[in-house]
Amino acid sequence: MSKVSLEELQIRGDNFTTLPKQVGLFNNLMRFNLQGNDLTKLPEEIKKLRNLKLLNLKFNNFSDEEKARIKKLLPNTEIKF
C-alpha cells in the first residue's frame, strides 16, 4: 500500500463509531480532529502516526482504560479528550 501525505484531517460530528485500520497510512498527518463522534476505541494502527502533534478526541465515548491506551500508543502527541 502507498503512504498518504495528508497533514491535517478533520472528521467532526459525523457520528463515526469506528476508525478503519488504514488510518495508519496517514504517516505525515500532524493534526487529526475527531471531535464529536461516537468513538469508543481507536485501532492499534494509530501508533504509526509518528508525526502526529495534535489529536482532538473531545466529545467521544472513550473509557478511562482506552484513554490510557491511546496515550501509550502516542506518547509524543498532544491528545485532547
Side-chain angles (χ1 to χ4, degrees):
M1 288 192 170
S2 62
K3 304 262 180 176
V4 180
S5 63
L6 188 66
E7 290 184 6
E8 184 170 351
L9 180 59
Q10 292 194 38
I11 304 173
R12 297 179 54 194
D14 289 325
N15 297 323
F16 272 66
T17 56
T18 59
L19 209 58
K21 293 179 180 185
Q22 290 83 352
V23 72
L25 295 175
F26 297 121
N27 62 316
N28 289 325
L29 199 61
M30 296 175 73
R31 291 172 302 282
F32 198 2
N33 188 345
L34 289 164
Q35 178 177 322
N37 287 287
D38 290 324
L39 297 167
T40 58
K41 187 173 183 175
L42 293 184
E44 188 81 14
E45 287 76 10
I46 198 87
K47 70 182 178 186
K48 294 180 181 178
L49 304 181
R50 298 198 195 311
N51 293 313
L52 195 61
K53 302 295 179 210
L54 176 63
L55 177 60
N56 186 347
L57 298 173
K58 290 182 178 181
F59 308 113
N60 280 282
N61 299 308
F62 295 106
S63 66
D64 290 340
E65 293 81 13
E66 180 63 8
K67 289 177 182 179
R69 186 182 79 88
I70 293 167
K71 288 178 183 177
K72 190 173 184 179
L73 290 173
L74 297 167
N76 300 316
T77 301
E78 178 186 352
I79 303 170
K80 296 181 179 182
F81 290 106

